[in-house]
Amino acid sequence: MAGISKLSAERYGAMFAQLTDKSWVFGVIVATVFLVITLCLSYSIIYYVPLYQPTTEPAMAIMTTLKPLMFVFPLITAGLTFAASFRVVKSYLNNKTTALK
């Protein structure tokens, strides 16, 4: 199962690299979307999770189980934002140097 997801990740990474090689603006849009998702997830964790007090027993069990996962998703999207931004800057600089020649 891990091989299938790794293969998909490599395929999507190659498609993203190909699209940003053609137009770095696409990469800026994707990086901006990941940044907004990261900020929204972080905001929800900081402000809404401490205020949420479940009253029923099943809700408490679900929240106790999911609480550690809430901190993983912003880290994943922050990593994707960093990777996309790095690729965009690299693509922009490559396009800029080829335009000067």
Side-chain angles (χ1 to χ4, degrees):
M1 191 73 165
I4 294 172
S5 63
K6 183 180 179 186
L7 190 64
S8 297
E10 289 175 355
R11 183 177 44 158
Y12 289 128
M15 284 192 295
F16 179 74
Q18 185 179 13
L19 287 170
T20 54
D21 283 344
K22 291 181 182 177
S23 173
W24 59 269
V25 176
F26 172 78
V28 170
I29 293 169
V30 171
T32 304
V33 167
F34 281 134
L35 179 64
V36 168
I37 292 171
T38 302
L39 293 176
C40 289
L41 289 172
S42 300
Y43 178 80
S44 68
I45 287 172
I46 291 170
Y47 289 103
Y48 294 120
V49 171
L51 298 176
Y52 181 69
Q53 297 295 325
T55 56
T56 62
E57 193 66 31
M60 289 179 96
I62 292 170
M63 285 302 290
T64 303
T65 305
L66 293 178
K67 199 167 188 176
L69 294 175
M70 288 185 208
F71 299 101
V72 173
F73 294 121
L75 293 175
I76 291 170
T77 56
L80 291 171
T81 303
F82 177 76
S85 300
F86 182 77
R87 177 70 194 174
V88 167
V89 169
K90 183 179 172 186
S91 176
Y92 175 75
L93 293 175
N94 285 342
N95 287 339
K96 188 176 176 183
T97 55
T98 56
L100 293 175
K101 289 182 179 181

